[in-house]
Amino acid sequence: MELAISSKSKAWGLSWAMNRSATLLCVIPVLLWTAGCGGSNGGQISTSPSSPQVYFAPSVGGNSQQILSVDDTNGIFTQTQYGTQIGPGPQVIDTGVLSIDQHGLRSLGILNNYAFSSTTGIYEPVTYPATSPEEGSFAVELPNQAGGFALLTGEPLMPLMNASQCPSLSTAQTYLYLTIPGALAPVDGEQEYGGWNPATDTAYGSVDISTSGGTVKFLNNVQYILPTAPGLAAVAPTQPGASTATGTCAPTLEGNLINAPGQLIITDPGGQPTYTPQAIMGIGPSGLLVENDSPTNPSPGTVSSLNYNNLLGAGTGAVGIPKPSCTAGQPNSSCAVDTSSLTGAKYLGFIYSAGYFSNNQIIGQATHVASFGYSSCPSVYPASSTVIYGGDFSNDDPSASMSGYGNCDFAVDLGPQDPTTDGLYPQATVSVGLSYAGNTTGKTYSFSAVAIAGQLNSTNAIFVIGVDSTEPWSIYLLQSK
């Protein structure tokens, strides 16, 4: 487990009441819809990147929803947040420069960081020299900027959703998804917004999604908790999301997003209004799905902090990929993902440890940029045809690596592919090496996990969720150059 949290992380992750308020406020833009919405064929087309590409980034780990503007052409980026302490409008949080290394990793250097001052009542900038920006921020993008993941210094993991258009799925597409876990729920049973209990809450599932104009149908939504050991029968969560639901996709200030159930209902039980719980999600042009289980209350303190819709994932949301589709006339077995092609490729991504709650604070939350598939370290986990090795970078500094790849101190054994669900690996195992930065146990250890894998615009993607004795873990890998 992780013990150290940076000063910026404390400002975001440990000021829990303040962040919760910001999260509640920041969903206002989702309600500001306009009629009509275009779409792509199947939600999986190649698109030329804009300059810049604007990504919707959902709330993760106590953070508020964000917008990340990434301009690969001109080498600049901007992070914006809605619903800050000064009101519901947009507020720039970070601006800076970016560079792209030989394997496609984006290194983001912060030139201006804006933090709220309770003394002045405005966001005061901390400025860094152009020749020496604040380092430690990274992004991994799909081709044509069709989505990805990012880490801004001191903040949790940030999925990047290209919400430039609504999906067009006239024929239902099956999606596999994993929960984006929140911090491990308190052992005393106290409920926390965004907390995740692996013994009772959704860890993974599948759903059929179709669209007709701006209407989005969710059918056959099936969910399971995390298995405690490989080979055990799948178990449904205590409070699963609805098996069938209808949402609406339309333009918002944060992109073309799906709101489910898609109809805002406000009631006044006598004193303070309550609002319909909503799940907010997007499906990008590559097929990457990202869900945000966010409260939809525009006024902090007027609704239970647990008033959110866990349609797909639990915790703070979900990430998903299209289930491999069979070609007409071919047997179903031809749809299975080629595991050897997965383990034989190279990847960049992030390892996210969600931490645990203690005295209403999140302890141990951390994200490390990572590489996989470039080497092997059987001392971390025995070699086999289903194992992919990788790990973090020394001091989280990829620029110090001559090869552009990091350490070999982590392993993911995908295990067998599910015989009935192509792309699902329900018997995966994660092994954390002794030298991994987030390992404070003093030994190499392993734990059970679930993985989903497939392709996003011809790019391999592997997503993993698991939990050790103290906290949840997620791994998000995209094939690199």
Side-chain angles (χ1 to χ4, degrees):
M1 76 181 235
E2 300 274 0
L3 294 180
I5 300 181
S6 71
S7 58
K8 189 175 180 185
S9 178
K10 291 179 182 178
W12 288 91
L14 299 184
S15 299
W16 192 244
M18 181 178 69
N19 279 319
R20 177 161 51 186
S21 297
T23 304
L24 291 166
L25 278 168
C26 69
V27 300
I28 293 176
V30 179
L31 307 178
L32 303 179
W33 288 343
T34 60
C37 182
S40 65
N41 182 19
Q44 301 179 61
I45 63 171
S46 297
T47 59
S48 299
S50 60
S51 293
Q53 176 61 57
V54 178
Y55 292 112
F56 165 69
S59 170
V60 174
N63 218 353
S64 297
Q65 291 173 191
Q66 314 281 328
I67 294 176
L68 190 66
S69 173
V70 179
D71 189 338
D72 286 341
T73 301
N74 296 302
I76 56 177
F77 76 95
T78 302
Q79 180 189 15
T80 304
Q81 176 181 313
Y82 281 90
T84 60
Q85 288 90 338
I86 62 174
Q91 169 63 50
V92 174
I93 302 299
D94 289 306
T95 65
V97 294
L98 70 85
S99 60
I100 305 175
D101 75 5
Q102 71 266 34
H103 302 304
L105 179 68
R106 276 70 171 160
S107 293
L108 311 180
I110 296 174
L111 294 178
N112 298 283
N113 168 239
Y114 296 84
F116 182 73
S117 170
S118 58
T119 302
T120 62
I122 63 175
Y123 276 74
E124 300 280 359
V126 176
T127 301
Y128 298 88
T131 56
S132 183
E134 182 186 28
E135 299 177 340
S137 299
F138 306 96
V140 176
E141 293 181 287
L142 288 163
N144 298 319
Q145 294 191 289
F149 299 87
L151 163 65
L152 274 293
T153 304
E155 298 187 27
L157 171 85
M158 184 183 293
L160 302 178
M161 167 53 55
N162 180 333
S164 58
Q165 57 195 348
C166 288
S168 179
L169 301 166
S170 56
T171 300
Q173 169 70 60
T174 300
Y175 278 81
L176 306 178
Y177 60 86
L178 300 180
T179 281
I180 302 173
L184 199 65
V187 295
D188 59 9
E190 178 185 353
Q191 292 180 310
E192 296 279 0
Y193 168 66
W196 184 65
N197 185 339
T200 60
D201 297 343
T202 300
Y204 69 102
S206 66
V207 62
D208 299 333
I209 302 176
S210 64
T211 65
S212 177
T215 301
V216 183
K217 295 284 189 180
F218 300 88
L219 304 172
N220 305 313
N221 185 25
V222 181
Q223 301 178 330
Y224 302 100
I225 65 172
L226 196 68
T228 56
L232 296 181
V235 177
T238 302
Q239 294 181 313
S243 60
T244 301
T246 300
T248 301
C249 185
T252 78
L253 296 179
E254 297 172 310
N256 292 280
L257 299 177
I258 302 166
N259 208 33
Q263 181 180 10
L264 178 64
I265 299 175
I266 304 174
T267 61
D268 185 354
Q272 294 181 333
T274 59
Y275 299 80
T276 311
Q278 301 283 328
I280 305 163
M281 72 186 72
I283 299 176
S286 67
L288 176 66
L289 180 151
V290 175
E291 181 199 33
N292 185 76
D293 294 342
S294 176
T296 55
N297 180 11
S299 300
T302 61
V303 70
S304 167
S305 62
L306 298 174
N307 188 19
Y308 68 96
N309 187 321
N310 62 331
L311 177 60
L312 301 182
T316 59
V319 293
I321 57 178
K323 178 184 174 183
S325 299
C326 290
T327 303
Q330 291 184 326
N332 185 63
S333 59
S334 66
C335 301
V337 173
D338 184 352
T339 303
S340 62
S341 71
L342 292 176
T343 58
K346 294 178 174 61
Y347 300 85
L348 291 170
F350 298 94
I351 301 172
Y352 172 57
S353 48
Y356 61 94
F357 279 106
S358 178
N359 297 322
N360 297 316
Q361 294 185 339
I362 299 176
I363 305 299
Q365 182 187 82
T367 306
H368 294 288
V369 62
S371 65
F372 275 75
Y374 70 96
S375 184
S376 64
C377 41
S379 62
V380 173
Y381 190 83
S384 81
S385 61
T386 58
V387 174
I388 180 169
Y389 294 99
D392 56 356
F393 289 82
S394 298
N395 300 315
D396 284 327
D397 183 10
S399 67
S401 170
M402 294 294 294
S403 67
Y405 290 108
N407 302 317
C408 193
D409 52 20
F410 215 93
V412 176
D413 184 352
L414 295 172
Q417 191 168 181
D418 189 88
T420 61
T421 306
D422 299 315
L424 173 65
Y425 295 83
Q427 301 182 45
T429 301
V430 172
S431 187
V432 184
L434 173 62
S435 61
Y436 177 69
N439 185 353
T440 59
T441 65
K443 62 181 180 180
T444 295
Y445 68 98
S446 301
F447 54 88
S448 298
V450 170
I452 57 174
Q455 290 203 326
L456 299 170
N457 269 15
S458 302
T459 298
N460 284 349
I462 302 175
F463 303 153
V464 183
I465 184 173
V467 62
D468 62 16
S469 60
T470 60
E471 63 183 332
W473 294 73
S474 290
I475 305 167
Y476 303 99
L477 304 178
L478 298 178
Q479 189 173 356
S480 66
K481 296 178 181 180

